[in-house]
Each structure stands twice: as structure tokens, then as C-alpha cells.
Amino acid sequence: MNKALARPSQQAIPAKSRELTFDKLTGMNLTNPTHYLNRELSLLAFNWRVLQQALDPSIPLLERIRFIFICSNNLDEFFEVRVAGLRHNLARGDTKPSLNGASTEQVLREINIRAHELVDEQYRIFNEELLPKLAQESIQFLPSHEWNDDQYKWLKKYFKHQVMPVISPISLDLTHPFPRLVNKSLHFLLHLHGNDAFGRDLEYAVLHMPRSLPRIIELPDNVGGTKAHNFVYLSSVISEFAEDLFPGMEIHGCYQFRLTRDSDLLLEENSIEDLASALKRELQSRNFGAAVRLEVGKSCPNKIVNFLLQKCNLTADELYRVDGPVNLNRLMSLPELVERPDLKFSGFTPKVPADMVRRGIFEVISEKDVLLHHPYQSFQPVVDLIRQAAADPAVMAIKQTLYRSGSHSAIVEALIEASHAGKEVTTVVELRARFDEADNIELAQKLQEAGVLVVYGVVGYKTHAKMTLVVRKEEKSKKLMRFVHLGTGNYHAGNARLYTDYSLLTANQEICEDVHKVFQQLTGMGKVYELNQLWHAPFTLHKNLLKAVDRETKNALAGKKARMIIKLNSLTDQSLIEALYRASIAGVSIDLIVRGVCCLSPGVEGVSENIRVRSIIGRFLEHSRVYYFYNDGDEKLYAASADWMERNLYHRVETCFPILQNDLKARMLKELNMMLEDTEQSWILQPNGEYQIQSSAKPKQKVQQLLLDRLSR
């Protein structure tokens, strides 16, 4: 599954020698496709690693099943965005090869092979590994042929009163052509025989299942049977009682299917006067983009499959036969329906630093920087910063970026309270946060109605930076003082319990001035400011990263110790990969912690022998971005909102902020090294693109659990 695309023989790259200089290094051609991995296939490999968590016996059973659902949801987005994008490229004749030299046709062919392997393995694990183990724990899914009389009667009544009133069968004839089917929704195609009430001889009908209908139904205790929890798939209920929808007609078959459609929004922003209105219009069509995948039940006859493929304008390569429900991620509610704490991760209480409990947040931050590592440490101080700012009469202004926050968050309510209190409140709301566009439009309207100044950012550049600026007049000095929050994650309290991210709370004058200038750029469309401490995209982040990597390279060439640790979600930018290759050739020791996509190929002789890449998959989604440079002993450590991807570096507003306080710097570096010592959750990337689980003779060490034990106590 994780093997790379077949490649031509590798071109030799000169090894490090005494005569090697930086000029010679920069003159090397490091663009050979054999030195790179494909982005889409790397993303599929990530989903394979996620799926493998469902086989890990050290993970509680109901948590293992969540990884099945997460993998299913990730695959949906992969087809909606990545596969759809490749098909767009093919349609418009874009023949530019990927970094590893593969054409669009080659990549799509390889995706077809690996995605089918992944889906087959997903259902195999679900059916053969997890369902039997659930049954052993008195949690079972009952197929229709196992229903007893009481269960049958109860489900028939459920169908009549809970399902039939909300579904509308659509017959297919000359006056009812094949309907437009909603993206990712459960549908059924019924094969019929007989005449309806109007004398029409019908052969097919389509049933659309509204999202309001639960995909799994728990039987009540009095009809459930011997197990503590007895569930039935909605698809089983529909198949069993579909004839009630077509009285007097014969049902020859009832087959579940599901379409995945192109869901990327294409907006010509330069020609749009009202971005919010344009997005609203575009969102209405998202559910009806071009089809990219058809999922059908395993038993669906070829005649029906061919009919659906023809109606959806898809080929056999885009067909996925599945051995179970066609939408596994809609079963995500299962762990919440089962009260079995012994089958779930143990709960924890994120820690709030003691001095932030005893004293006011502005008092603490004015004395020292505060570094929070979520979810091990609480997100509450970030919420409290806004809440206290809203209530504090000395606070004059609040500025904040909002990318994914949810329209019903405590932070949003605090911003509204601040506006009602007469404070100057400015928010930069990124309407184009993928799949959160509707929520962000609602959020922007809610804030505007409360008198908040809402800015949509810069045309052509998503505002992905996570930053808050509070301006406060000090009581004694009457001077204005600024307080800042900078983060690697979103202002979403729910995500802060699931994603690992860093937050920095600071009153450092230079950082606060930098954040002020970035807000000026966003709201005032001013000039490019020179910043003191922050690196920011699309202006200085990329060039400063190149400078930092090249500085390590020069130090290594001079015989000095040179070291980098880079933690990211994704690494795809070719210029930075080339810089890392030059550093490796020069002898720099490089550790990359890349959760998802990685186009760099480590361990290639003469090119990347000094680079190691690991992906950490565990209970929490590794989301923080951290950059460490040894810098000849003057160690530099940064946290950032940006991955090393083209979109982050050139097409987004991002911030990269230094950790200046020595104790915080030492702590963050220690946590990075803990990740490098993990022996339980780390997958090591091989030169050919395969990932192998970390094996070590050292005592077992699960880094997320260690951090949980250390920071949440």
C-alpha cells in the first residue's frame, strides 16, 4: 500500500567532500524526480497509517473503531478535493508532471490501485477484526436474517413512523429522469416490476436518505435480545421494508449506493464584489459537482452497477464495491451510544498553569510569556484572554483572526460582549476555510450584527494566521500596553481537545508591534512592513526559512555542529526540500516530524542520508508546526501556523513566531526530543515511500501518553 510510484534508476549525486562549498552545493541539480515522493500517494499512505490504528490492541476497542471512521472521512475529502483536482488538470490539458515525475494519468492510475486496496482493507478490518470483538463485548449489529419476531415488528413500526414520513421515492421514467443526487448521501436504487397506480410500468426507483435519519438504530432492551447493545443498520431496514413504499409492485432488489462529488469551490475573486454572497451561491452547487466516485454494496448486480455508472458518467475504475455500509463515517455516533468507559480512552482534565488560576491573565502575561501545549494544557486561558478583555474597562480594542472557530463558541460570544461594551472589536474572518464556509458566513453575519468590524482578508490570500491583539490602558501609567496570543491551531475549543497545538501568550513589545503591523496589512491593505520578530507569509516566511536552513548548511561546511528539527503537517515545497537536501549533503543532522504528506525522500545515498522522517499517529491529531535550528549554539525555536507547502508560503497569510523565553524554549525542545524518542506511535519513512512502524530495543515510550501524564496533572 505504501510503496512509491515506480521510478527510473536514481541519478548519482556527489557526496560531501572537503572541497565541497556552499556555492557548489547551490549549483547542484537536485530536481531529479527520483528524489521526490508523490503528494497524493503520500496522502493515501497517511490514511493507511490512520487505518492501522484500528488494529492496535493497546487502543481501547471503541477508540479503534473511530479510526475506521476517521479514515473513511479522510478518504471522502481526498476524492472531493485531490482526485477532483487531478481530473480538472486532465480535462484542461495540464500536463505538468508531479515532483516525482509522474504524469496526471499515472497518478490517477496509481490512486485507483491504492485507494481500492485501502477501502478493501478498511472493510476487512471492520468486518473481521472489530465487529467480532464488539460482539464479544455484547455490542452487535444484527443482519435482517437474524431478527426475531419481536425485533421484526419493532423495526417495521420504526420504518413506518420514523422513516417513511421523511423519504420520497422517485420513480424513473420518461417524465422522471435520473435525479441529481446529493454529494455523499446514502441512496438506494430499487429494481421494480409491475404497474403503479397510474398504470406505468416501472423498472427503477431511487430513494434518498436524508441526513436527519440515523444510520444505525439501537433496539430497545425489551426487544434487543441477549446482548447489551443491539444495533441495526438503516440500510438493512430500508432493504427489508422497501416494498411498503410501492404497494402492489414486486421488489426484485434494493441496492445501497453513494456518490462522491467534486467539492472544491472555484471563485474568480478579483471579479467578485461581495465575497460572502458569491460564496453562498457557490455553496448551493457544492453538493452537485461532477461525480468522482461511486460506492455500491458488494452484492449489487453488474446490471445495476453499469446503470449507475452510466447515469453518473463514471468508469469502472471509479467504482468501489464495499462489504458493508457505504458510508462508514456516518457510524461515528456508535462510541457515544455505548456507555462503556472501559472501551474508551480514559478521561483527562487539561491543566491550567497555576499562576493563571490565582491571578488575572493580564497581570501574568505582563510579567512573563506563557506557553500552552494543547490538549495536554487547557485552551481556557486563551478563551479567558478574550473574556477578561471584554469585561475589563481598561481594554480599548481587540483584534482577532478567525479561521475555524464555530459560530457558537465562547470566544465569539466574548467578542460580541466586548463590542456591546463599546470596545473597538475587529475580526478578520476567513470565509474560504474549506468545508467551513457556511459556518464562517454565519459567524461573520453574527459578528456584524453585534457591531463588530468584520474584514474578509485579502483577495487571493487566505488568512490562516492565528493571532489576537488586545490593547489595554494601564491604570497606573496610563500608557497603552498590548497583549498577544499566537497559535499553531484554530480558535476552536473542540479542536483544542483533539489536536496538538501550541499557544503563546505574550506582552513582548516587539512581537506585539509585529502583530499590530500584520493586522494593519490585513485591514488597511498597507505596505509590506518590516517586522522585528515574526516571519510572515506571503512576504518573509519562505525566504527566512531558506536563510535558516542555509545557515545550518554553511555551519556544517565550516565543521561546526549543525542540527534541525522540523515538525509539520505536510512538506511539499520543492525549494525547501532542495535546501534540506543541500543541508543533508553538507552533513547537517535533520529530523523531520511530518504527520501527513511528505514529498521529501529520506535516506537517499548522496542526497538525504542525514535526514530522518517520522509520522506520529495517536490519540490526538498532531497539528502543531515547530521549527528548531541549532544556529551554532544560539538556538532558534519557532512555532507557526504554516506548513511547508506552496499554498501556505505563497498564497496565505501566515505567522511564524519565535519562542524567546529560555525556560519555554528549553521545554519545547525537550518535548520535540520526546517525539523523536517515541517507540510506539512513530512511523519511519523509507527512501521508497513506504512507512514502517518504529521498532526499538529501548523501553516502550508513547509520547502522547507521556505528555498527557506530564502536562495534564
Side-chain angles (χ1 to χ4, degrees):
M1 174 64 204
N2 294 329
K3 59 183 182 296
L5 276 173
R7 309 172 180 179
S9 59
Q10 188 170 295
Q11 194 177 48
I13 296 292
K16 179 186 173 186
S17 67
R18 292 179 181 175
E19 292 75 30
L20 188 61
T21 64
F22 186 76
D23 287 341
K24 288 182 179 179
L25 267 179
T26 55
M28 287 182 180
N29 180 10
L30 295 171
T31 62
N32 189 322
T34 64
H35 303 149
Y36 297 87
L37 303 173
N38 179 264
R39 173 177 174 170
E40 280 72 27
L41 301 183
S42 184
L43 186 51
L44 278 178
F46 164 67
N47 283 312
W48 184 272
R49 298 194 295 282
V50 170
L51 182 59
Q52 299 314 297
Q53 306 310 298
L55 292 171
D56 186 346
S58 71
I59 297 175
L61 182 57
L62 287 173
E63 305 294 349
R64 288 168 63 183
I65 204 164
R66 283 188 205 270
F67 285 103
I68 292 275
F69 307 148
I70 293 169
C71 179
S72 180
N73 187 63
N74 288 350
L75 271 179
D76 283 350
E77 185 172 338
F78 177 76
F79 278 95
E80 289 177 284
V81 179
R82 301 308 309 170
V83 173
L86 289 171
R87 286 166 55 110
H88 275 305
N89 292 346
L90 204 59
R92 64 172 179 256
D94 184 350
T95 58
K96 181 182 178 182
S98 62
L99 281 180
N100 72 327
S103 67
T104 304
E105 294 96 327
Q106 285 177 301
V107 175
L108 285 169
R109 282 198 298 270
E110 193 67 24
I111 286 173
N112 175 48
I113 294 169
R114 299 196 197 180
H116 277 90
E117 290 176 355
L118 180 56
V119 170
D120 288 345
E121 178 67 359
Q122 184 183 23
Y123 280 87
R124 186 198 69 78
I125 293 173
F126 183 69
N127 291 316
E128 298 179 15
E129 300 283 344
L130 298 182
L131 288 184
K133 287 181 171 60
L134 287 171
Q136 291 171 11
E137 298 290 345
S138 294
I139 305 165
Q140 67 178 356
F141 287 84
L142 293 171
S144 57
H145 66 269
E146 292 184 10
W147 299 349
N148 62 34
D149 289 344
D150 289 341
Q151 292 164 349
Y152 183 90
K153 290 175 184 176
W154 188 90
L155 288 165
K156 187 174 181 67
K157 186 180 293 186
Y158 180 92
F159 178 79
K160 179 180 179 180
H161 295 290
Q162 302 295 327
V163 179
M164 282 185 67
V166 296
I167 60 175
S168 299
I170 303 171
S171 58
L172 304 181
D173 59 18
L174 292 177
T175 59
H176 296 83
F178 198 77
R180 295 178 72 194
L181 304 176
V182 177
N183 180 42
K184 298 188 296 186
S185 286
L186 175 63
H187 297 89
F188 293 86
L189 184 70
L190 284 81
H191 189 198
L192 311 171
H193 180 67
N195 296 328
D196 70 358
F198 297 94
R200 295 174 298 179
D201 184 9
L202 301 178
E203 186 177 6
Y204 295 116
V206 171
L207 293 179
H208 167 243
M209 294 297 109
R211 288 190 166 91
S212 58
L213 288 175
R215 296 315 190 240
I216 53 176
I217 302 152
E218 185 169 14
L219 293 168
D221 293 340
N222 60 329
V223 297
T226 59
K227 301 291 186 181
H229 296 277
N230 292 276
F231 295 96
V232 174
Y233 298 130
L234 176 64
S235 55
S236 298
V237 174
I238 298 295
S239 297
E240 187 66 29
F241 302 116
E243 60 186 14
D244 292 358
L245 298 167
F246 301 91
M249 302 187 73
E250 295 179 17
I251 307 290
H252 290 309
C254 180
Y255 308 105
Q256 58 173 329
F257 72 98
R258 179 174 178 259
L259 274 181
T260 310
R261 296 183 178 278
D262 178 353
S263 296
D264 219 3
L265 300 181
L266 302 175
L267 292 171
E268 292 294 335
E269 293 185 32
N270 291 318
S271 62
I272 292 174
E273 294 184 5
D274 187 337
L275 180 59
S277 297
L279 265 176
K280 282 183 183 178
R281 292 192 298 270
E282 193 69 18
L283 284 170
Q284 293 171 0
S285 63
R286 167 176 272 171
N287 283 328
F288 303 103
V292 293
R293 176 179 60 163
L294 172 65
E295 296 167 277
V296 300
K298 187 177 181 181
S299 63
C300 189
N302 288 335
K303 178 182 177 181
I304 302 297
V305 168
N306 292 333
F307 174 80
L308 289 170
L309 287 173
Q310 185 264 327
K311 291 297 182 182
C312 300
N313 196 29
L314 293 171
T315 68
D317 283 346
E318 290 139 344
L319 170 70
Y320 289 76
R321 288 184 177 271
V322 301
D323 188 10
V326 297
N327 191 355
L328 282 176
N329 62 355
R330 285 300 301 275
L331 275 60
M332 184 70 88
S333 60
L334 177 65
E336 274 63 55
L337 294 173
V338 178
E339 285 297 325
R340 288 287 301 274
D342 58 311
L343 300 181
K344 301 177 184 179
F345 287 127
S346 58
F348 69 98
T349 301
K351 184 179 179 181
V352 177
D355 51 357
M356 303 194 87
V357 175
R358 295 190 299 265
R359 299 191 294 162
I361 196 164
F362 295 114
E363 183 183 357
V364 174
I365 302 173
S366 63
E367 293 178 1
K368 63 179 181 179
D369 292 353
V370 175
L371 181 69
L372 302 172
H373 195 176
H374 314 301
Y376 316 109
Q377 292 177 292
S378 177
F379 189 68
Q380 192 59 42
V382 181
V383 178
D384 289 344
L385 173 69
I386 314 301
R387 279 181 170 167
Q388 291 185 28
D392 189 343
V395 169
M396 302 177 66
I398 305 171
K399 299 181 181 183
Q400 187 168 32
T401 59
L402 296 172
Y403 190 75
R404 301 185 198 275
S405 64
S407 57
H408 305 290
S409 76
I411 283 179
V412 171
E413 294 305 319
L415 291 171
I416 290 172
E417 289 175 16
S419 180
H420 288 164
K423 303 181 192 306
E424 182 72 16
V425 181
T426 304
T427 61
V428 181
V429 179
E430 182 46 71
L431 296 182
R432 297 153 298 178
R434 183 178 289 144
F435 299 120
D436 277 340
E437 296 95 344
D439 284 346
N440 284 0
I441 290 171
E442 179 186 350
L443 166 65
Q445 292 173 338
K446 185 175 181 178
L447 290 168
Q448 286 171 331
E449 289 168 2
V452 174
L453 175 61
V454 177
V455 178
Y456 294 151
V458 183
V459 172
Y461 298 88
K462 284 187 180 182
T463 302
H464 194 247
K466 316 313 192 291
M467 55 185 187
T468 300
L469 175 67
V470 176
V471 181
R472 186 174 186 268
K473 180 178 285 187
E474 293 300 293
E475 185 176 354
K476 293 181 180 179
S477 66
K478 302 302 179 184
K479 292 182 179 179
L480 293 183
M481 191 167 178
R482 289 183 286 216
F483 301 84
V484 156
H485 167 264
L486 290 162
T488 66
N490 299 304
Y491 288 109
H492 193 295
N495 286 351
R497 289 294 299 251
L498 301 173
Y499 297 3
T500 72
D501 276 302
Y502 280 104
S503 283
L504 178 69
L505 298 165
T506 183
N508 177 279
Q509 290 187 20
E510 290 190 328
I511 291 179
C512 289
E513 177 65 20
D514 286 351
V515 171
H516 168 75
K517 288 178 178 178
V518 175
F519 272 113
Q520 289 291 97
Q521 284 181 333
L522 288 171
T523 60
M525 310 302 176
K527 64 179 182 179
V528 179
Y529 293 103
E530 287 189 15
L531 303 185
N532 300 297
Q533 295 289 347
L534 264 59
W535 301 346
H536 68 313
F539 304 111
T540 61
L541 177 56
H542 180 250
K543 70 178 182 182
N544 282 335
L545 286 172
L546 284 175
K547 284 181 181 178
V549 175
D550 288 347
R551 188 162 53 241
E552 295 299 317
T553 303
K554 291 174 182 176
N555 286 337
L557 291 172
K560 300 176 181 179
K561 177 181 175 180
R563 176 91 170 104
M564 285 185 278
I565 307 173
I566 309 296
K567 184 176 186 293
L568 303 162
N569 297 320
S570 299
L571 170 58
T572 65
D573 182 71
Q574 185 172 6
S575 61
L576 282 169
I577 293 175
E578 288 180 17
L580 290 171
Y581 285 159
R582 289 193 296 269
S584 172
I585 295 168
V588 181
S589 176
I590 304 170
D591 277 291
L592 305 178
I593 306 168
V594 185
R595 184 197 75 214
V597 175
C598 181
C599 293
L600 177 148
S601 183
V604 176
E605 184 179 354
V607 179
S608 55
E609 292 164 293
N610 291 305
I611 303 177
R612 297 157 296 280
V613 180
R614 69 180 57 223
S615 170
I616 296 176
I617 310 291
R619 173 176 181 173
F620 307 116
L621 182 78
E622 289 292 336
H623 190 256
S624 57
R625 295 92 166 184
V626 180
Y627 319 147
Y628 166 77
F629 306 97
Y630 181 71
N631 194 39
D632 196 21
D634 183 18
E635 297 169 295
K636 302 294 183 182
L637 197 54
Y638 298 86
S641 61
D643 289 310
W644 290 11
M645 303 179 75
E646 294 82 354
R647 69 186 189 192
N648 299 91
L649 300 169
Y650 315 124
H651 306 295
R652 288 186 174 184
V653 177
E654 305 272 14
T655 52
C656 171
F657 49 96
I659 308 302
L660 299 174
Q661 204 166 283
N662 287 333
D663 60 332
L664 301 183
K665 188 188 297 186
R667 181 191 131 196
M668 184 181 276
L669 182 56
K670 184 174 183 178
E671 290 170 2
L672 279 177
N673 282 314
M674 287 172 66
M675 294 177 195
L676 297 179
E677 294 168 2
D678 175 87
T679 59
E680 291 285 286
Q681 299 175 302
S682 294
W683 295 76
I684 308 303
L685 178 58
Q686 307 302 307
N688 64 354
E690 293 184 8
Y691 282 83
Q692 295 179 2
I693 192 71
Q694 168 86 333
S695 59
S696 174
K698 297 179 181 179
K700 291 185 176 181
Q701 179 167 305
K702 188 175 286 190
V703 63
Q704 290 189 351
Q705 188 59 51
L706 286 174
L707 289 169
L708 201 57
D709 294 340
R710 176 182 297 227
L711 295 177
S712 67
R713 296 303 182 197

